Amino acid sequence: MKNKPDLEKILPHNHPMILIDELLYADLEKAEAKASVTINENKIFYDKTVEGADYLTGIEFMAQTVGCYAFYKNNRTKPEVGFLLGTRQFKNNIERFEKGKTYTIKAKEIFTDNELVSFECFIYNDTVECQRAVINVYQPKAGSLDIAGMYG
């Protein structure tokens, strides 16, 4: 991407809950997005005892990459809430996300009915596959969900 996108304008989170560092691209023709994260002590899920982040954090890295793709696919002007419905075929090849390493997250849309969507996701460190999963998400049509009303 020419200009580094502001993730706070794309994802419905604020720092420190934005876990990815950068959206590298969102390609609507290929139906995929790629993001990156470098693990360091400033990350909210960083654990000093293991000098890294728990491997399960990868699911949220995947979900946030999917959220970036959804923002562009749906021509959003502001972030919309999406719901992670489940993860299938999760395969993990690491003990943790290691301090100082940069990981690339790729999410490719493999099924959609416009609100329910499945993505095949991968996380790599260089060329080494660290994780893979199919992520199922739900994103209601813009403005059709009153989050404040759900909790009021």
Side-chain angles (χ1 to χ4, degrees):
M1 303 190 98
K2 290 181 182 177
N3 297 324
K4 185 176 174 181
D6 183 350
L7 294 174
E8 284 194 4
K9 293 181 179 176
I10 295 172
L11 296 170
H13 301 297
N14 294 314
H15 288 287
M17 289 308 299
I18 295 177
L19 303 186
I20 59 177
D21 292 330
E22 183 177 5
L23 175 63
L24 302 172
Y25 71 79
D27 187 326
L28 301 180
E29 288 182 21
K30 290 183 179 180
E32 65 185 31
K34 187 183 276 189
S36 69
V37 61
T38 300
I39 306 303
N40 63 57
E41 294 171 350
N42 297 323
K43 299 292 183 187
I44 191 167
F45 293 115
Y46 183 82
D47 182 344
K48 291 179 184 176
T49 62
V50 298
E51 294 193 358
D54 189 280
Y55 72 91
L56 289 174
T57 311
I59 294 171
E60 185 60 20
F61 295 156
M62 293 175 191
Q64 289 189 13
T65 303
V66 165
C68 291
Y69 174 78
F71 177 84
Y72 287 103
K73 181 181 179 186
N74 296 311
N75 297 313
R76 300 289 196 234
T77 56
K78 66 176 188 129
E80 296 283 340
V81 173
F83 300 94
L84 176 63
L85 298 180
T87 303
R88 297 182 300 118
Q89 301 171 357
F90 180 70
K91 183 177 179 189
N92 178 56
N93 299 317
I94 59 174
E95 291 181 28
R96 69 189 180 289
F97 289 97
E98 295 180 43
K99 177 182 178 181
K101 289 191 176 184
T102 299
Y103 297 87
T104 303
I105 308 101
K106 182 177 176 183
K108 179 162 181 60
E109 182 181 84
I110 57 174
F111 169 82
T112 184
D113 76 355
N114 292 323
E115 290 185 346
L116 295 171
V117 189
S118 292
F119 289 85
E120 186 174 45
C121 298
F122 300 89
I123 298 179
Y124 296 95
N125 175 249
D126 293 322
T127 60
V128 177
E129 181 181 298
C130 300
Q131 293 182 340
R132 70 169 50 209
V134 174
I135 301 288
N136 299 310
V137 298
Y138 169 69
Q139 185 169 48
K141 292 183 175 144
S144 68
L145 185 64
D146 178 13
I147 294 293
M150 291 175 64
Y151 300 102

